[in-house]
Structure formats: structure tokens, C-alpha cells
Amino acid sequence: MSDESDFVITPSSTNLTSNVKLLEKTSEILFLLRLYEKCEAQKKDFDHVMFNDSTLYCPTMFDGWSCWNATLAGETARTPCPNFIVGFDSRRFALRTCLENGTWFQHPVTRKFWSNYTTCIDIEDLKFRKAMNIIYISGYSISLATLLISLVIFLIFKSLRCTRIAIHVHLFISFACNNFMWIIWYRNVVGDPKVVEENPQHCQILHILLQYFMVANYFWMFCEGLHLHLALVVVFVKDTSLMRWFHFIGWVVPLIITSVYAYVRHTSLEDIKYCWMNDAHSRWILTVPVCLSILVNLAILMNVLRVLLTKLHSNSTNPAPIGIRKAARAALILVPLFGLHHILLPFRPEPKSPWEMVYDVFSAVLVSSQGLCVSILFCFANVDVHGAFRKMFYRLQRRGTHSTMVLHTNYCHSTREFQL
């Protein structure tokens, strides 16, 4: 739906954010003014050619979004939906009615000329997108819950405080932060077209934080593989200096990469619209390091697997610890799982194709459940965690048995005194 309206530039402040928004607004106004001028030229050049003076017709008119061609009285005009409006499908058509008296239809409430843009929205696709949001929010919520439980387990047991578990903790923190940010994103940004249209600063900051924690996930996964390699191949490495390097790789390097990405993307006015949701060429600044980290990590883990097979040989005098073997197996499962989403990206089906929905659902389940997979493989299936729980239950059992014996002794002693 659209009514004709005037466009006025009204800058409210002189700070950087307002200036950027003013530039965006100015570019949009100039774009619409060009469409208006083109429409007026068409009206001047073609209306009198298409119809003679005795024919009733509605003149060519620009409604603020689209140019409506001259239309015979009593007919309904249609034009492709504008591709610059969020949520509109440009393959659909908007409608506008030319009345029998040769005037365009007016809305009964506003009494202004009215165009029907409700047909530009694909209701079935809108329902599917809402269902996709529910899948993402549900998946990330389950993953976040399991990650937080895992972090509590890692932190309450003193027996689990070692370099390998410390790396797990940082990996889980990056995942928990990322999942929490995604939940906010799908609830408050994707689920609210008004926010996307207004493009406020907080949604742009949220996008940058999402990318930072996403890159941090992959780089901490790289640290997992690197630590396994060092533990099996190098062996003698000082843990304190090693963790400093891991902190730098896992937190600082992603910060540098994301900062470069944000700076480059911010220089393009086209790429900072709609909360930065649209794909941009600057996306490669994030994708290339992530894919390289996955490939290098996979190569490292293949070498770890080779070393493990050597140490597991019957003639080996120095077999690898079971905890290292389990961690290597978990990492070998997770790294391809993490990379699968990026591998399938070039094979994304064309929009509106029969396989698009299947791809989107599979991608949503795969991406949102990564935190759950990490929790299962690195915590719930961790032999060190199982050992810590067994010790705790054994201590509780012994404490309960000891308390029962003390109570029984006191009772017997009291009974004897009563009898005497």
C-alpha cells in the first residue's frame, strides 16, 4: 500500500551516525526523484499518443514507489513490485484500479490515491521464514543450555583443570556467546521488519558481534587441533606460554579480522543497509580465514590420527592417553561438521526452487545444533568428566555410609545407657 507523499531531508544532529543515516536517506530520496522524473517524462511523451481525447483513461502517475502507466477506465493496472522494499518479492505484481470515470481509486479512509502492494508479499514464504526463525531460536536455545551446563561441569571439578579442558572452556564460551547473540538476532531483528527497515546502530553492532564470535568459534576449534598435535608430537611444551598463544589466536586474531571486515563494509553505503543482512563482497574477509582454519585444522588432525595409530600399535612402548584419543576423535568429527555449512554454500539451490526449503531447513538444523554437538563430544562423552562424576558419587556414597554408621553407633550406645 502506498500513498503519494513529499520527501523532505531533515537532519537532526551532526554526529557521525546521523550523518551516515542522512547520506542513506539522501541517496534514497535521489533514487526516488529519478524514478519520479522518469515517470513524468513518460507521462508527457506517451499518454497523448496512447489514447485520443475521447477515451476515458487514468493518466500515468508516480505513487512514491512505482510508476503506473496510463490505463483505460474500468481496468486494473499492474506493475512489478519494487525490489528496494524489504519483504517485497519483485517477481510479483502490485495492483491499481482505474475507475469508470477515468480517475484512480482512492482509499476510503485517507481519501488519497491508493496502490495495492499487499500482493507483493508471499504469504506462504512469510510463514516458512517464521518457521525457520523458530527452528533457529529453538536450536540455539538447546545448544546454549547444554553449553552452559558443560561450562558449570568444567568449572566445579578441580580434577578437570588442565590445558586441554581450559581450551574446551574457551571454545564453549565463544559458542555460548555466539548462540546467545543469534537468539537475540532472530527474535529482535529478523522477526521485526521495522528494525530491519530502520537499520538502527544497535542491530549493526549486533551483526559485528555475531561475526566476531563466529570467527572465534572456528579459531578456538583450530586451537583444539593444534593442542592435540603439540601434546602428541612436541610433548614438552610449557602450558602457560602455550595458553597465551591460544588466547591470542582464539580471541585477538578474530577481533582483528572482524574489525577489518566491519571497516571495509562500512565504507560501502549499499552494504550497510538492513542491519547488514544482505551479502556483501567484504564477506570474503571472514570466509577465507575461516575456511583456511578448517583446512589447516583438518590437516593437523589427520597427522594426529596418524600418530595415534602409531602409538596404538601393539609394539608401541608409549601409547597415547585415552583422554587424548577421545579428544582427537571428537575433533575429527567436529571439524568436518563445522566446515559442511561452508562447503554446501556454493551449492545453495536457486530461490523458489523445490530444493530451497530442504536446504534451508537442513542448514538451520546443522548450524544451530553445533553447540549441542560440541557439548556432547567434548563434555558429556568426555572420559575425564565421567571419571570426575564417579569420584564425586563415590565420595558422596562413602560420606553417606559413614554418617549412617555414626548414627547407628550413637543409637546403640544410647540404648545401652538406657538399659543400665
Side-chain angles (χ1 to χ4, degrees):
M1 292 173 287
S2 174
D3 298 324
E4 281 73 27
S5 58
D6 297 326
F7 303 99
V8 183
I9 303 175
T10 56
S12 58
S13 63
T14 56
N15 57 41
L16 181 61
T17 304
S18 297
N19 287 340
V20 170
K21 289 184 177 180
L22 179 60
L23 286 173
E24 292 177 12
K25 189 69 177 176
T26 304
S27 63
E28 291 172 6
I29 293 170
L30 291 174
F31 171 73
L32 292 175
L33 283 174
R34 283 195 294 270
L35 291 181
Y36 170 75
E37 290 170 357
K38 184 178 178 181
C39 191
E40 286 296 306
Q42 180 178 323
K43 177 180 179 180
K44 182 179 179 181
D45 295 339
F46 296 107
D47 279 18
H48 70 280
V49 176
M50 294 175 63
F51 304 105
N52 55 47
D53 295 336
S54 61
T55 305
L56 275 177
Y57 68 93
C58 295
T60 298
M61 178 176 285
F62 184 71
D63 68 356
W65 283 348
S66 304
C67 183
W68 295 91
N69 295 327
T71 304
L72 282 172
E75 294 188 356
T76 299
R78 64 181 211 159
T79 189
C81 298
N83 58 5
F84 52 86
I85 303 298
V86 177
F88 281 11
D89 185 350
S90 59
R91 292 165 295 187
R92 290 171 165 262
F93 291 90
L95 305 175
R96 188 171 178 129
T97 303
C98 181
L99 301 177
E100 296 290 344
N101 60 2
T103 60
W104 291 110
F105 171 78
Q106 294 182 0
H107 195 279
V109 176
T110 63
R111 308 306 301 171
K112 293 183 178 180
F113 295 121
W114 185 78
S115 308
N116 184 8
Y117 285 98
T118 59
T119 54
C120 293
I121 302 172
D122 188 339
I123 303 299
E124 292 301 318
D125 182 70
L126 183 62
K127 290 179 180 177
F128 175 70
R129 297 302 164 192
K130 288 183 177 179
M132 289 295 298
N133 283 1
I134 293 172
I135 292 174
Y136 273 114
I137 292 171
S138 302
Y140 282 123
S141 298
I142 294 170
S143 293
L144 180 60
T146 57
L147 287 164
L148 293 176
I149 293 170
S150 301
L151 283 169
V152 170
I153 291 171
F154 284 145
L155 295 174
I156 63 174
F157 289 109
K158 292 182 179 180
S159 60
L160 297 177
R161 294 176 185 175
C162 62
T163 304
R164 179 161 51 86
I165 300 298
I167 297 171
H168 291 350
V169 168
H170 284 282
L171 175 66
F172 281 36
I173 290 172
S174 70
F175 260 102
C177 293
N178 191 42
N179 288 1
F180 181 68
M181 295 294 176
W182 276 119
I183 292 170
I184 296 174
W185 179 261
Y186 280 104
R187 284 178 63 90
N188 300 336
V189 178
V190 178
D192 190 347
K194 185 179 179 181
V195 173
V196 178
E197 182 69 32
E198 292 178 353
N199 192 30
Q201 191 172 17
H202 71 263
C203 79
Q204 299 179 39
I205 294 172
L206 182 60
H207 170 87
I208 296 170
L209 288 174
L210 278 171
Q211 307 314 309
Y212 169 68
F213 286 117
M214 181 273 293
V215 177
N217 289 344
Y218 288 97
F219 274 76
W220 274 110
M221 198 66 225
F222 170 76
C223 291
E224 291 277 358
L226 183 59
H227 175 257
L228 290 171
H229 173 76
L230 294 173
L232 286 171
V233 180
V234 180
V235 182
F236 298 107
V237 181
K238 194 174 180 181
D239 286 346
T240 52
S241 60
L242 195 61
M243 280 307 298
R244 287 197 201 99
W245 280 106
F246 287 153
H247 287 149
F248 179 78
I249 295 171
W251 294 121
V252 179
V253 173
L255 180 62
I256 296 170
I257 294 171
T258 310
S259 299
V260 173
Y261 161 76
Y263 174 77
V264 172
R265 181 156 188 168
H266 196 266
T267 57
S268 173
L269 286 177
E270 288 299 317
D271 293 339
I272 60 175
K273 296 179 180 178
Y274 311 130
C275 295
W276 298 21
M277 290 178 66
N278 297 334
D279 287 332
H281 293 297
S282 54
R283 185 79 187 175
W284 288 104
I285 299 172
L286 302 174
T287 306
V288 170
V290 164
C291 291
L292 284 176
S293 73
I294 292 172
L295 292 174
V296 174
N297 207 9
L298 198 57
I300 290 173
L301 289 171
M302 293 301 291
N303 185 55
V304 167
L305 182 62
R306 179 189 64 80
V307 175
L308 283 175
L309 291 174
T310 303
K311 287 179 176 284
L312 287 172
H313 195 271
S314 57
N315 297 327
S316 176
T317 58
N318 185 28
I322 187 170
I324 295 290
R325 297 204 301 269
K326 293 278 187 179
R329 185 177 67 182
L332 279 167
I333 295 170
L334 284 173
V335 170
L337 182 66
F338 283 11
L340 187 59
H341 177 63
H342 292 277
I343 293 169
L344 294 177
L345 198 59
F347 303 100
R348 182 185 178 90
E350 292 294 324
K352 302 299 179 182
S353 70
W355 290 100
E356 184 190 18
M357 287 188 177
V358 176
Y359 177 92
D360 287 344
V361 171
F362 175 76
S363 178
V365 173
L366 176 68
V367 172
S368 64
S369 63
Q370 285 181 349
L372 174 63
C373 295
V374 168
S375 298
I376 292 172
L377 292 171
F378 278 152
C379 181
F380 303 144
N382 191 317
V383 293
D384 296 325
V385 173
H386 295 169
F389 271 105
R390 277 196 296 267
K391 289 178 182 178
M392 183 185 72
F393 291 140
Y394 178 70
R395 285 196 303 269
L396 291 174
Q397 189 177 14
R398 283 190 61 187
R399 190 179 300 170
T401 304
H402 177 70
S403 299
T404 303
M405 290 176 64
V406 170
L407 287 171
H408 179 70
T409 303
N410 291 339
Y411 174 77
C412 292
H413 181 68
S414 301
T415 304
R416 290 194 196 98
E417 288 183 347
F418 178 76
Q419 290 174 351
L420 290 173

